[in-house]
Structures are given as structure tokens and as C-alpha cells.
Amino acid sequence: MKEFHVAIDGPAGSGKSTISSLVAKRLNWTHIDTGAMYRAVTLWAINNKINLNNEDEYTFLDKIKISYVNDKIYLEGKNVSKDIRSEEVTKNVSLVSSFPYVRKKMVDLQRKATEGINVVMDGRDIGTVVLPNANLKVFLTANVEERAKRRYEENLLKGVNKDIREVIEEIKIRDKKDSTREESPLKKAEDAIVLDTTYLTIEQVVEKIIILIEKKEIEKDGN
Ligand code: DC
């Protein structure tokens, strides 16, 4: 069988990354979290004090190495999986990922990473831009209150007790930024299957996606 590419898109807190990772594990495929890549770029930019608002300063991307292996993100060979989840990175990543120069670099890297392998890739523009020919496209949604509740609980585990109303506001702001930006906004691909995860457990969503993959594989092999 030729390689199989699954594109999973959706807004912040829809469960993309957790679900994609579990689907990939079940199938023994590769998972790539593209949000983690944009976060790594943001982390490097902050640590090296570049002017985040100036697109011209992102030429450092020609020199640095970013890789995603076994659910861990590496920046210049260093595992930065924890550092990319900081408040400062979260606050600035929408800005950094809005620059066409940054997106072009990341999209090239993401496409290369899928060559010849079975992959589950998650992000905002995977089905629309990165892998328009993906074998299966899924668009995950959940209402904003549920997504905020998930973020809130994640925060508690990290020892951060932020007011749920503040989390709701932050998610709304990020949704707006991600879906109204000019370059590759968050948008459902026309041929994507929508899965609303508001009332589903993680396991139920994983199961649904596995079934969709199996169905597509049968169709593919039959052609
Ligand atoms: O999924 P996440 O919250 O880790 O993503 C971080 C940010 O990166 C998000 O605000 C939008 C951006 N992003 C993007 O623009 N395109 C992608 N394919 C993935 C993430």
C-alpha cells in the first residue's frame, strides 16, 4: 500500500493534538503536530530577542533546525516540548504564524516530513494548504466553553489556576486571529469530515477517526 496521509484541523482546544497522537499510536504511524513547530519558531524568536513584528527578521529560519520526532519537538537538537507551552509563547504564536515567510518555511518542512510515510498531521491549514491531497481530512470542533474547560483543566495540571472566564476570552481571541488572518486562515477544507467533539470522549473520537481511515483504505485499495 502507498503512503496514507491524514489531515486533522480545528481551533485551539478542539483536541487535535491529543487525538492525532493517539490515532497515530494505534496504527503505528507518525504523528506531526504543526502547532508545535510554529511554537518552536516563536520560542527561538523570543529567546533571541528578535523584533517579533518584523517579518524580515525571521530569516533565521534558513539556519535553524526544527524537527518533530515521537511527539517531541526539537530546536537545534534540544527537546523544547515543555518550553513551547509557556504563556509567552502562547501569547505570541498567532502573530508569528501570521507571516507568509514563516508559513512558507514551515509548510515546506511539513510537506517534506510526510514524504513516503503514513502520517497523521494536525494544525489549522493541513487539509487546505499543506496536504490538499490527503487521503482523509477531518475538521474537529467543540464549543468554546468546552474547549476553555479543557484548557482550564490542562492548566490546573500544570499548577496554573487561571479564571475560566479569562480562558474563554483568550480562546475567543485566538480563534479570531487564527481564522481571520490573511495567510492560510483556519478554515474547513471542502472535503473534510466535521467531527464535533463537545460531547465525546477522547477515545470515542479516536475510534471514529480509525473507522474513517479504515473505510478510506478499503476505497483506496479498491481503486
Ligand atoms: O495548535 P496550537 O495551539 O499549538 O497552535 C499554535 C498556533 O500556531 C495557533 O495559534 C495557530 C498556529 N498554527 C498555524 O497557524 N498553522 C498550523 N498548521 C498550526 C498552528
Side-chain angles (χ1 to χ4, degrees), residues 9 12 16 33-36 38-39 85 93-94 97 103 110 122-126 130 151 174 178 181 184:
D9 291 299
K16 293 180 307 286
D33 172 353
T34 61
Y38 287 100
R39 285 173 179 271
R85 304 284 155 199
V93 64
S94 288
S97 60
R103 300 208 69 83
Q110 289 155 10
D122 77 273
R124 303 290 193 290
D125 61 340
I126 311 306
V130 183
R151 238 335 97 83
R174 204 135 71 91
D178 291 345
R181 68 173 179 229
S184 309

PDB file of all heavy atoms in Angstrom, residues 9 12 16 33-36 38-39 85 93-94 97 103 110 122-126 130 151 174 178 181 184, ligand 1:
ATOM      1  N   ASP A   9      -7.548  19.209  11.245  1.00  0.00           N
ATOM      2  CA  ASP A   9      -7.530  20.644  11.536  1.00  0.00           C
ATOM      3  C   ASP A   9      -8.627  20.974  12.547  1.00  0.00           C
ATOM      4  O   ASP A   9      -9.553  20.191  12.748  1.00  0.00           O
ATOM      5  CB  ASP A   9      -7.771  21.450  10.245  1.00  0.00           C
ATOM      6  CG  ASP A   9      -6.592  21.351   9.293  1.00  0.00           C
ATOM      7  OD1 ASP A   9      -5.492  21.780   9.677  1.00  0.00           O
ATOM      8  OD2 ASP A   9      -6.761  20.816   8.173  1.00  0.00           O
ATOM      9  N   ALA A  12      -8.199  26.035  18.499  1.00  0.00           N
ATOM     10  CA  ALA A  12      -7.475  25.762  19.747  1.00  0.00           C
ATOM     11  C   ALA A  12      -8.385  25.038  20.730  1.00  0.00           C
ATOM     12  O   ALA A  12      -9.531  25.430  20.924  1.00  0.00           O
ATOM     13  CB  ALA A  12      -7.013  27.082  20.359  1.00  0.00           C
ATOM     14  N   LYS A  16      -7.194  18.337  18.819  1.00  0.00           N
ATOM     15  CA  LYS A  16      -6.422  17.867  17.650  1.00  0.00           C
ATOM     16  C   LYS A  16      -5.179  17.070  17.987  1.00  0.00           C
ATOM     17  O   LYS A  16      -4.979  15.966  17.498  1.00  0.00           O
ATOM     18  CB  LYS A  16      -5.896  19.057  16.827  1.00  0.00           C
ATOM     19  CG  LYS A  16      -6.888  19.867  16.140  1.00  0.00           C
ATOM     20  CD  LYS A  16      -6.218  20.989  15.373  1.00  0.00           C
ATOM     21  CE  LYS A  16      -5.292  21.851  16.150  1.00  0.00           C
ATOM     22  NZ  LYS A  16      -5.862  22.801  17.075  1.00  0.00           N
ATOM     23  N   ASP A  33       2.688  17.359  14.920  1.00  0.00           N
ATOM     24  CA  ASP A  33       1.901  18.467  15.474  1.00  0.00           C
ATOM     25  C   ASP A  33       2.502  19.758  14.905  1.00  0.00           C
ATOM     26  O   ASP A  33       3.558  20.202  15.346  1.00  0.00           O
ATOM     27  CB  ASP A  33       2.022  18.384  17.002  1.00  0.00           C
ATOM     28  CG  ASP A  33       1.423  19.591  17.723  1.00  0.00           C
ATOM     29  OD1 ASP A  33       1.030  20.565  17.063  1.00  0.00           O
ATOM     30  OD2 ASP A  33       1.371  19.546  18.967  1.00  0.00           O
ATOM     31  N   THR A  34       1.835  20.350  13.919  1.00  0.00           N
ATOM     32  CA  THR A  34       2.434  21.525  13.267  1.00  0.00           C
ATOM     33  C   THR A  34       2.346  22.778  14.140  1.00  0.00           C
ATOM     34  O   THR A  34       3.146  23.695  13.995  1.00  0.00           O
ATOM     35  CB  THR A  34       1.782  21.806  11.895  1.00  0.00           C
ATOM     36  OG1 THR A  34       0.391  22.080  12.104  1.00  0.00           O
ATOM     37  CG2 THR A  34       1.956  20.648  10.941  1.00  0.00           C
ATOM     38  N   GLY A  35       1.383  22.786  15.076  1.00  0.00           N
ATOM     39  CA  GLY A  35       1.297  23.909  16.025  1.00  0.00           C
ATOM     40  C   GLY A  35       2.579  23.974  16.852  1.00  0.00           C
ATOM     41  O   GLY A  35       3.099  25.067  17.136  1.00  0.00           O
ATOM     42  N   ALA A  36       3.100  22.803  17.208  1.00  0.00           N
ATOM     43  CA  ALA A  36       4.348  22.749  17.989  1.00  0.00           C
ATOM     44  C   ALA A  36       5.498  23.365  17.189  1.00  0.00           C
ATOM     45  O   ALA A  36       6.394  24.001  17.756  1.00  0.00           O
ATOM     46  CB  ALA A  36       4.668  21.309  18.366  1.00  0.00           C
ATOM     47  N   TYR A  38       5.215  25.871  14.919  1.00  0.00           N
ATOM     48  CA  TYR A  38       5.078  27.341  14.983  1.00  0.00           C
ATOM     49  C   TYR A  38       5.471  27.854  16.370  1.00  0.00           C
ATOM     50  O   TYR A  38       6.027  28.941  16.517  1.00  0.00           O
ATOM     51  CB  TYR A  38       3.652  27.771  14.630  1.00  0.00           C
ATOM     52  CG  TYR A  38       3.372  27.634  13.147  1.00  0.00           C
ATOM     53  CD1 TYR A  38       2.678  26.543  12.640  1.00  0.00           C
ATOM     54  CD2 TYR A  38       3.855  28.588  12.246  1.00  0.00           C
ATOM     55  CE1 TYR A  38       2.452  26.390  11.284  1.00  0.00           C
ATOM     56  CE2 TYR A  38       3.627  28.454  10.888  1.00  0.00           C
ATOM     57  CZ  TYR A  38       2.933  27.341  10.411  1.00  0.00           C
ATOM     58  OH  TYR A  38       2.724  27.203   9.065  1.00  0.00           O
ATOM     59  N   ARG A  39       5.167  27.055  17.387  1.00  0.00           N
ATOM     60  CA  ARG A  39       5.546  27.449  18.750  1.00  0.00           C
ATOM     61  C   ARG A  39       7.070  27.453  18.902  1.00  0.00           C
ATOM     62  O   ARG A  39       7.626  28.314  19.588  1.00  0.00           O
ATOM     63  CB  ARG A  39       4.930  26.481  19.763  1.00  0.00           C
ATOM     64  CG  ARG A  39       3.437  26.704  19.958  1.00  0.00           C
ATOM     65  CD  ARG A  39       2.832  25.617  20.840  1.00  0.00           C
ATOM     66  NE  ARG A  39       1.426  25.843  21.055  1.00  0.00           N
ATOM     67  CZ  ARG A  39       0.926  26.564  22.049  1.00  0.00           C
ATOM     68  NH1 ARG A  39       1.731  27.084  22.956  1.00  0.00           N
ATOM     69  NH2 ARG A  39      -0.364  26.743  22.164  1.00  0.00           N
ATOM     70  N   ARG A  85       5.181  25.518  25.529  1.00  0.00           N
ATOM     71  CA  ARG A  85       3.831  25.682  26.110  1.00  0.00           C
ATOM     72  C   ARG A  85       3.758  26.875  27.066  1.00  0.00           C
ATOM     73  O   ARG A  85       2.763  27.050  27.771  1.00  0.00           O
ATOM     74  CB  ARG A  85       3.412  24.413  26.878  1.00  0.00           C
ATOM     75  CG  ARG A  85       3.457  23.144  26.053  1.00  0.00           C
ATOM     76  CD  ARG A  85       2.289  23.027  25.089  1.00  0.00           C
ATOM     77  NE  ARG A  85       2.651  22.160  23.960  1.00  0.00           N
ATOM     78  CZ  ARG A  85       2.021  22.124  22.798  1.00  0.00           C
ATOM     79  NH1 ARG A  85       0.997  22.921  22.583  1.00  0.00           N
ATOM     80  NH2 ARG A  85       2.418  21.327  21.840  1.00  0.00           N
ATOM     81  N   VAL A  93       2.297  33.328  19.515  1.00  0.00           N
ATOM     82  CA  VAL A  93       2.380  32.406  18.368  1.00  0.00           C
ATOM     83  C   VAL A  93       1.432  32.767  17.216  1.00  0.00           C
ATOM     84  O   VAL A  93       1.764  32.546  16.038  1.00  0.00           O
ATOM     85  CB  VAL A  93       2.223  30.922  18.830  1.00  0.00           C
ATOM     86  CG1 VAL A  93       0.858  30.652  19.423  1.00  0.00           C
ATOM     87  CG2 VAL A  93       2.531  29.956  17.713  1.00  0.00           C
ATOM     88  N   SER A  94       0.290  33.364  17.531  1.00  0.00           N
ATOM     89  CA  SER A  94      -0.630  33.740  16.438  1.00  0.00           C
ATOM     90  C   SER A  94       0.009  34.802  15.550  1.00  0.00           C
ATOM     91  O   SER A  94      -0.127  34.757  14.322  1.00  0.00           O
ATOM     92  CB  SER A  94      -1.952  34.283  16.979  1.00  0.00           C
ATOM     93  OG  SER A  94      -2.708  33.246  17.527  1.00  0.00           O
ATOM     94  N   SER A  97       2.866  33.137  13.476  1.00  0.00           N
ATOM     95  CA  SER A  97       2.385  32.250  12.419  1.00  0.00           C
ATOM     96  C   SER A  97       1.561  32.988  11.368  1.00  0.00           C
ATOM     97  O   SER A  97       1.074  32.385  10.423  1.00  0.00           O
ATOM     98  CB  SER A  97       1.592  31.088  13.021  1.00  0.00           C
ATOM     99  OG  SER A  97       0.487  31.579  13.734  1.00  0.00           O
ATOM    100  N   ARG A 103       5.250  30.986   7.304  1.00  0.00           N
ATOM    101  CA  ARG A 103       4.369  29.900   6.871  1.00  0.00           C
ATOM    102  C   ARG A 103       4.980  29.115   5.719  1.00  0.00           C
ATOM    103  O   ARG A 103       4.926  27.898   5.679  1.00  0.00           O
ATOM    104  CB  ARG A 103       2.995  30.446   6.447  1.00  0.00           C
ATOM    105  CG  ARG A 103       2.263  31.175   7.530  1.00  0.00           C
ATOM    106  CD  ARG A 103       0.766  31.096   7.335  1.00  0.00           C
ATOM    107  NE  ARG A 103       0.257  29.763   7.556  1.00  0.00           N
ATOM    108  CZ  ARG A 103      -0.034  29.277   8.758  1.00  0.00           C
ATOM    109  NH1 ARG A 103       0.098  29.992   9.828  1.00  0.00           N
ATOM    110  NH2 ARG A 103      -0.487  28.041   8.870  1.00  0.00           N
ATOM    111  N   GLN A 110       6.965  20.808   6.605  1.00  0.00           N
ATOM    112  CA  GLN A 110       5.890  19.855   6.940  1.00  0.00           C
ATOM    113  C   GLN A 110       5.642  18.891   5.783  1.00  0.00           C
ATOM    114  O   GLN A 110       5.498  17.684   5.995  1.00  0.00           O
ATOM    115  CB  GLN A 110       4.605  20.631   7.280  1.00  0.00           C
ATOM    116  CG  GLN A 110       4.704  21.350   8.619  1.00  0.00           C
ATOM    117  CD  GLN A 110       3.800  22.552   8.745  1.00  0.00           C
ATOM    118  OE1 GLN A 110       2.927  22.784   7.904  1.00  0.00           O
ATOM    119  NE2 GLN A 110       3.998  23.333   9.794  1.00  0.00           N
ATOM    120  N   ASP A 122      -1.539  17.326  12.321  1.00  0.00           N
ATOM    121  CA  ASP A 122      -2.596  18.221  12.793  1.00  0.00           C
ATOM    122  C   ASP A 122      -2.161  19.684  12.803  1.00  0.00           C
ATOM    123  O   ASP A 122      -0.980  19.982  12.949  1.00  0.00           O
ATOM    124  CB  ASP A 122      -3.115  17.777  14.170  1.00  0.00           C
ATOM    125  CG  ASP A 122      -2.191  18.133  15.312  1.00  0.00           C
ATOM    126  OD1 ASP A 122      -1.284  17.347  15.615  1.00  0.00           O
ATOM    127  OD2 ASP A 122      -2.384  19.219  15.908  1.00  0.00           O
ATOM    128  N   GLY A 123      -3.156  20.574  12.613  1.00  0.00           N
ATOM    129  CA  GLY A 123      -2.849  22.008  12.577  1.00  0.00           C
ATOM    130  C   GLY A 123      -4.082  22.817  12.256  1.00  0.00           C
ATOM    131  O   GLY A 123      -5.186  22.535  12.729  1.00  0.00           O
ATOM    132  N   ARG A 124      -3.886  23.874  11.440  1.00  0.00           N
ATOM    133  CA  ARG A 124      -5.004  24.747  11.068  1.00  0.00           C
ATOM    134  C   ARG A 124      -5.246  24.726   9.555  1.00  0.00           C
ATOM    135  O   ARG A 124      -6.341  24.996   9.095  1.00  0.00           O
ATOM    136  CB  ARG A 124      -4.711  26.206  11.465  1.00  0.00           C
ATOM    137  CG  ARG A 124      -4.403  26.434  12.933  1.00  0.00           C
ATOM    138  CD  ARG A 124      -5.647  26.232  13.766  1.00  0.00           C
ATOM    139  NE  ARG A 124      -5.483  26.731  15.128  1.00  0.00           N
ATOM    140  CZ  ARG A 124      -4.708  26.187  16.064  1.00  0.00           C
ATOM    141  NH1 ARG A 124      -4.006  25.123  15.786  1.00  0.00           N
ATOM    142  NH2 ARG A 124      -4.662  26.690  17.274  1.00  0.00           N
ATOM    143  N   ASP A 125      -4.181  24.445   8.805  1.00  0.00           N
ATOM    144  CA  ASP A 125      -4.252  24.550   7.338  1.00  0.00           C
ATOM    145  C   ASP A 125      -3.747  23.268   6.673  1.00  0.00           C
ATOM    146  O   ASP A 125      -3.256  23.298   5.561  1.00  0.00           O
ATOM    147  CB  ASP A 125      -3.382  25.729   6.876  1.00  0.00           C
ATOM    148  CG  ASP A 125      -1.918  25.543   7.259  1.00  0.00           C
ATOM    149  OD1 ASP A 125      -1.638  24.744   8.178  1.00  0.00           O
ATOM    150  OD2 ASP A 125      -1.041  26.174   6.641  1.00  0.00           O
ATOM    151  N   ILE A 126      -3.872  22.154   7.365  1.00  0.00           N
ATOM    152  CA  ILE A 126      -3.296  20.910   6.817  1.00  0.00           C
ATOM    153  C   ILE A 126      -4.123  20.431   5.612  1.00  0.00           C
ATOM    154  O   ILE A 126      -3.583  20.167   4.537  1.00  0.00           O
ATOM    155  CB  ILE A 126      -3.168  19.801   7.896  1.00  0.00           C
ATOM    156  CG1 ILE A 126      -2.494  20.354   9.155  1.00  0.00           C
ATOM    157  CG2 ILE A 126      -2.406  18.596   7.347  1.00  0.00           C
ATOM    158  CD1 ILE A 126      -1.150  21.021   8.937  1.00  0.00           C
ATOM    159  N   VAL A 130      -1.352  22.492   3.371  1.00  0.00           N
ATOM    160  CA  VAL A 130      -0.156  21.634   3.485  1.00  0.00           C
ATOM    161  C   VAL A 130      -0.344  20.322   2.714  1.00  0.00           C
ATOM    162  O   VAL A 130       0.513  19.940   1.915  1.00  0.00           O
ATOM    163  CB  VAL A 130       0.196  21.349   4.974  1.00  0.00           C
ATOM    164  CG1 VAL A 130       1.480  20.529   5.079  1.00  0.00           C
ATOM    165  CG2 VAL A 130       0.335  22.655   5.747  1.00  0.00           C
ATOM    166  N   ARG A 151      -8.754  23.479  28.393  1.00  0.00           N
ATOM    167  CA  ARG A 151      -7.544  24.283  28.632  1.00  0.00           C
ATOM    168  C   ARG A 151      -7.365  24.556  30.128  1.00  0.00           C
ATOM    169  O   ARG A 151      -6.280  24.450  30.666  1.00  0.00           O
ATOM    170  CB  ARG A 151      -7.712  25.619  27.922  1.00  0.00           C
ATOM    171  CG  ARG A 151      -6.763  26.140  26.859  1.00  0.00           C
ATOM    172  CD  ARG A 151      -5.380  25.723  26.785  1.00  0.00           C
ATOM    173  NE  ARG A 151      -5.158  24.645  25.815  1.00  0.00           N
ATOM    174  CZ  ARG A 151      -4.994  24.797  24.521  1.00  0.00           C
ATOM    175  NH1 ARG A 151      -4.990  25.971  23.985  1.00  0.00           N
ATOM    176  NH2 ARG A 151      -4.798  23.743  23.745  1.00  0.00           N
ATOM    177  N   ARG A 174      -7.891  34.005  20.227  1.00  0.00           N
ATOM    178  CA  ARG A 174      -7.033  33.211  19.349  1.00  0.00           C
ATOM    179  C   ARG A 174      -7.835  32.664  18.144  1.00  0.00           C
ATOM    180  O   ARG A 174      -7.357  32.661  17.019  1.00  0.00           O
ATOM    181  CB  ARG A 174      -6.374  32.062  20.130  1.00  0.00           C
ATOM    182  CG  ARG A 174      -5.090  31.595  19.492  1.00  0.00           C
ATOM    183  CD  ARG A 174      -3.989  31.399  20.488  1.00  0.00           C
ATOM    184  NE  ARG A 174      -4.211  30.230  21.331  1.00  0.00           N
ATOM    185  CZ  ARG A 174      -3.764  29.031  21.018  1.00  0.00           C
ATOM    186  NH1 ARG A 174      -3.114  28.820  19.887  1.00  0.00           N
ATOM    187  NH2 ARG A 174      -3.958  28.023  21.828  1.00  0.00           N
ATOM    188  N   ASP A 178      -6.726  33.399  14.397  1.00  0.00           N
ATOM    189  CA  ASP A 178      -6.383  32.272  13.524  1.00  0.00           C
ATOM    190  C   ASP A 178      -7.321  32.166  12.313  1.00  0.00           C
ATOM    191  O   ASP A 178      -6.921  31.695  11.251  1.00  0.00           O
ATOM    192  CB  ASP A 178      -6.416  30.940  14.298  1.00  0.00           C
ATOM    193  CG  ASP A 178      -5.291  30.837  15.323  1.00  0.00           C
ATOM    194  OD1 ASP A 178      -4.334  31.640  15.243  1.00  0.00           O
ATOM    195  OD2 ASP A 178      -5.363  29.967  16.209  1.00  0.00           O
ATOM    196  N   ARG A 181      -6.904  35.785   9.774  1.00  0.00           N
ATOM    197  CA  ARG A 181      -5.644  36.245   9.178  1.00  0.00           C
ATOM    198  C   ARG A 181      -5.695  36.022   7.662  1.00  0.00           C
ATOM    199  O   ARG A 181      -6.400  35.122   7.173  1.00  0.00           O
ATOM    200  CB  ARG A 181      -4.455  35.519   9.810  1.00  0.00           C
ATOM    201  CG  ARG A 181      -4.410  34.061   9.457  1.00  0.00           C
ATOM    202  CD  ARG A 181      -3.137  33.424   9.949  1.00  0.00           C
ATOM    203  NE  ARG A 181      -3.175  32.020   9.607  1.00  0.00           N
ATOM    204  CZ  ARG A 181      -2.923  31.038  10.437  1.00  0.00           C
ATOM    205  NH1 ARG A 181      -2.594  31.268  11.668  1.00  0.00           N
ATOM    206  NH2 ARG A 181      -2.996  29.779  10.027  1.00  0.00           N
ATOM    207  N   SER A 184      -3.427  31.727   4.847  1.00  0.00           N
ATOM    208  CA  SER A 184      -3.876  30.398   5.312  1.00  0.00           C
ATOM    209  C   SER A 184      -4.689  30.429   6.606  1.00  0.00           C
ATOM    210  O   SER A 184      -4.284  29.865   7.616  1.00  0.00           O
ATOM    211  CB  SER A 184      -2.678  29.479   5.558  1.00  0.00           C
ATOM    212  OG  SER A 184      -1.838  29.444   4.485  1.00  0.00           O
TER     213      SER A 184
HETATM  214  O1   DC B   1      -2.333  24.042  17.981  1.00  0.00           O
HETATM  215  P1   DC B   1      -1.548  25.075  18.771  1.00  0.00           P
HETATM  216  O2   DC B   1      -2.388  25.854  19.749  1.00  0.00           O
HETATM  217  O3   DC B   1      -0.332  24.501  19.420  1.00  0.00           O
HETATM  218  O4   DC B   1      -1.041  26.090  17.662  1.00  0.00           O
HETATM  219  C1   DC B   1      -0.324  27.226  17.988  1.00  0.00           C
HETATM  220  C2   DC B   1      -0.562  28.343  16.993  1.00  0.00           C
HETATM  221  O5   DC B   1       0.062  28.044  15.760  1.00  0.00           O
HETATM  222  C3   DC B   1      -2.024  28.658  16.685  1.00  0.00           C
HETATM  223  O6   DC B   1      -2.438  29.825  17.355  1.00  0.00           O
HETATM  224  C4   DC B   1      -2.067  28.887  15.205  1.00  0.00           C
HETATM  225  C5   DC B   1      -0.753  28.445  14.679  1.00  0.00           C
HETATM  226  N1   DC B   1      -0.828  27.339  13.713  1.00  0.00           N
HETATM  227  C6   DC B   1      -0.964  27.670  12.395  1.00  0.00           C
HETATM  228  O7   DC B   1      -1.086  28.852  12.078  1.00  0.00           O
HETATM  229  N2   DC B   1      -0.966  26.698  11.450  1.00  0.00           N
HETATM  230  C7   DC B   1      -0.840  25.413  11.790  1.00  0.00           C
HETATM  231  N3   DC B   1      -0.835  24.472  10.834  1.00  0.00           N
HETATM  232  C8   DC B   1      -0.720  25.055  13.146  1.00  0.00           C
HETATM  233  C9   DC B   1      -0.736  26.053  14.109  1.00  0.00           C
END
